[in-house]
PDB file of all heavy atoms in Angstrom:
ATOM      1  N   GLN F 555     -24.438 115.415 -84.375  1.00 85.00           N
ATOM      2  CA  GLN F 555     -25.215 116.552 -84.940  1.00 85.00           C
ATOM      3  C   GLN F 555     -24.755 116.743 -86.389  1.00 85.00           C
ATOM      4  O   GLN F 555     -23.612 116.572 -86.755  1.00 85.00           O
ATOM      5  CB  GLN F 555     -24.990 117.806 -84.131  1.00 85.00           C
ATOM      6  CG  GLN F 555     -23.570 118.311 -84.063  1.00 85.00           C
ATOM      7  CD  GLN F 555     -23.454 119.512 -83.142  1.00 85.00           C
ATOM      8  OE1 GLN F 555     -24.367 119.844 -82.404  1.00 85.00           O
ATOM      9  NE2 GLN F 555     -22.339 120.218 -83.218  1.00 85.00           N
ATOM     10  N   GLY F 556     -25.744 117.105 -87.219  1.00 80.00           N
ATOM     11  CA  GLY F 556     -25.450 117.278 -88.673  1.00 80.00           C
ATOM     12  C   GLY F 556     -25.788 116.004 -89.411  1.00 80.00           C
ATOM     13  O   GLY F 556     -25.778 116.007 -90.655  1.00 80.00           O
ATOM     14  N   TYR F 557     -26.039 114.857 -88.735  1.00 88.00           N
ATOM     15  CA  TYR F 557     -26.360 113.642 -89.396  1.00 88.00           C
ATOM     16  C   TYR F 557     -27.785 113.197 -88.977  1.00 88.00           C
ATOM     17  O   TYR F 557     -28.112 112.998 -87.826  1.00 88.00           O
ATOM     18  CB  TYR F 557     -25.448 112.476 -88.985  1.00 88.00           C
ATOM     19  CG  TYR F 557     -24.048 112.569 -89.569  1.00 88.00           C
ATOM     20  CD1 TYR F 557     -23.053 113.352 -88.962  1.00 88.00           C
ATOM     21  CD2 TYR F 557     -23.766 111.933 -90.745  1.00 88.00           C
ATOM     22  CE1 TYR F 557     -21.777 113.443 -89.488  1.00 88.00           C
ATOM     23  CE2 TYR F 557     -22.470 112.036 -91.314  1.00 88.00           C
ATOM     24  CZ  TYR F 557     -21.501 112.783 -90.703  1.00 88.00           C
ATOM     25  OH  TYR F 557     -20.269 112.906 -91.243  1.00 88.00           O
ATOM     26  N   THR F 558     -28.697 113.054 -89.970  1.00 85.00           N
ATOM     27  CA  THR F 558     -30.026 112.575 -89.673  1.00 85.00           C
ATOM     28  C   THR F 558     -29.969 111.054 -89.502  1.00 85.00           C
ATOM     29  O   THR F 558     -30.713 110.462 -88.758  1.00 85.00           O
ATOM     30  CB  THR F 558     -31.026 112.943 -90.813  1.00 85.00           C
ATOM     31  OG1 THR F 558     -30.412 112.621 -92.043  1.00 85.00           O
ATOM     32  CG2 THR F 558     -31.302 114.427 -90.812  1.00 85.00           C
ATOM     33  N   ASN F 559     -29.038 110.421 -90.209  1.00 92.00           N
ATOM     34  CA  ASN F 559     -28.869 108.937 -90.147  1.00 92.00           C
ATOM     35  C   ASN F 559     -27.609 108.649 -89.349  1.00 92.00           C
ATOM     36  O   ASN F 559     -26.488 108.978 -89.764  1.00 92.00           O
ATOM     37  CB  ASN F 559     -28.780 108.459 -91.556  1.00 92.00           C
ATOM     38  CG  ASN F 559     -28.634 106.950 -91.622  1.00 92.00           C
ATOM     39  OD1 ASN F 559     -28.110 106.261 -90.695  1.00 92.00           O
ATOM     40  ND2 ASN F 559     -29.059 106.319 -92.687  1.00 92.00           N
ATOM     41  N   LYS F 560     -27.806 108.063 -88.176  1.00 95.00           N
ATOM     42  CA  LYS F 560     -26.676 107.844 -87.254  1.00 95.00           C
ATOM     43  C   LYS F 560     -25.700 106.811 -87.803  1.00 95.00           C
ATOM     44  O   LYS F 560     -24.526 106.796 -87.454  1.00 95.00           O
ATOM     45  CB  LYS F 560     -27.176 107.484 -85.913  1.00 95.00           C
ATOM     46  CG  LYS F 560     -27.861 108.682 -85.230  1.00 95.00           C
ATOM     47  CD  LYS F 560     -28.233 108.523 -83.839  1.00 95.00           C
ATOM     48  CE  LYS F 560     -28.601 109.789 -83.133  1.00 95.00           C
ATOM     49  NZ  LYS F 560     -29.136 110.909 -83.935  1.00 95.00           N
ATOM     50  N   GLU F 561     -26.181 105.895 -88.627  1.00 96.00           N
ATOM     51  CA  GLU F 561     -25.287 104.921 -89.257  1.00 96.00           C
ATOM     52  C   GLU F 561     -24.290 105.638 -90.166  1.00 96.00           C
ATOM     53  O   GLU F 561     -23.116 105.256 -90.239  1.00 96.00           O
ATOM     54  CB  GLU F 561     -26.060 103.906 -90.126  1.00 96.00           C
ATOM     55  CG  GLU F 561     -26.973 103.036 -89.352  1.00 96.00           C
ATOM     56  CD  GLU F 561     -27.915 102.218 -90.261  1.00 96.00           C
ATOM     57  OE1 GLU F 561     -27.451 101.864 -91.314  1.00 96.00           O
ATOM     58  OE2 GLU F 561     -29.087 101.981 -89.864  1.00 96.00           O
ATOM     59  N   GLU F 562     -24.742 106.681 -90.894  1.00 96.00           N
ATOM     60  CA  GLU F 562     -23.908 107.439 -91.815  1.00 96.00           C
ATOM     61  C   GLU F 562     -22.765 108.123 -91.006  1.00 96.00           C
ATOM     62  O   GLU F 562     -21.698 108.320 -91.551  1.00 96.00           O
ATOM     63  CB  GLU F 562     -24.726 108.479 -92.595  1.00 96.00           C
ATOM     64  CG  GLU F 562     -25.551 107.892 -93.706  1.00 96.00           C
ATOM     65  CD  GLU F 562     -24.713 107.142 -94.730  1.00 96.00           C
ATOM     66  OE1 GLU F 562     -23.642 107.612 -95.092  1.00 96.00           O
ATOM     67  OE2 GLU F 562     -25.157 106.037 -95.100  1.00 96.00           O
ATOM     68  N   PHE F 563     -23.052 108.565 -89.791  1.00 97.00           N
ATOM     69  CA  PHE F 563     -22.068 109.184 -88.986  1.00 97.00           C
ATOM     70  C   PHE F 563     -20.853 108.217 -88.782  1.00 97.00           C
ATOM     71  O   PHE F 563     -19.725 108.554 -89.004  1.00 97.00           O
ATOM     72  CB  PHE F 563     -22.685 109.537 -87.580  1.00 97.00           C
ATOM     73  CG  PHE F 563     -21.655 109.905 -86.545  1.00 97.00           C
ATOM     74  CD1 PHE F 563     -21.045 111.128 -86.550  1.00 97.00           C
ATOM     75  CD2 PHE F 563     -21.294 109.011 -85.513  1.00 97.00           C
ATOM     76  CE1 PHE F 563     -20.096 111.492 -85.544  1.00 97.00           C
ATOM     77  CE2 PHE F 563     -20.397 109.294 -84.547  1.00 97.00           C
ATOM     78  CZ  PHE F 563     -19.750 110.528 -84.587  1.00 97.00           C
TER      79      PHE F 563
END
Side-chain angles (χ1 to χ4, degrees):
Q555 63 185 13
Y557 286 88
T558 47
N559 182 332
K560 292 187 168 26
E561 295 170 35
E562 284 304 316
F563 167 77

